[in-house]
Amino acid sequence: PRVFYIHNFLSTDEADEFVRFSNAEENPYKMAPSTGGTHKAWNQGGASARLTTRTSENAFDITTQNAWNVKRRAFRLLRMG
């Protein structure tokens, strides 16, 4: 996919909040090793399907106001909302 760099798209405070929340206990999708080799979702036992060849870690933020603000900004930028 095409990738674009948008100067000043995120503020320093927003970026810091994403980093903080990625390891926060209240985040059900906090930073964890990537999984693979299974058709099961992470909450159906797929979280234990870790491959030694996968070394990345992932976290998701789908609940905070910070995430919603950034998503809205992205959609406005793309003229999708």
Side-chain angles (χ1 to χ4, degrees):
R2 236 176 234 199
V3 176
F4 297 91
Y5 177 78
I6 312 289
H7 188 69
N8 290 328
F9 182 76
L10 284 178
S11 71
T12 301
D13 290 341
E14 288 169 329
D16 289 345
E17 177 57 18
F18 280 131
V19 171
R20 183 203 67 78
F21 192 67
S22 72
N23 288 302
E25 287 300 318
E26 70 266 23
N27 182 358
Y29 310 105
K30 67 183 175 184
M31 191 69 71
S34 296
T35 59
T38 181
H39 291 35
K40 293 182 179 180
W42 67 271
N43 58 354
Q44 297 173 331
S48 62
R50 296 200 176 116
L51 302 175
T52 58
T53 55
R54 299 213 45 184
T55 58
S56 63
E57 293 186 347
N58 296 307
F60 300 94
D61 180 354
I62 60 173
T63 59
T64 66
Q65 188 63 49
N66 190 47
W68 284 104
N69 291 343
V70 171
K71 286 177 194 175
R72 266 187 252 131
R73 187 178 315 133
F75 276 95
R76 282 194 314 265
L77 179 69
L78 297 169
R79 297 180 183 179
M80 294 175 64

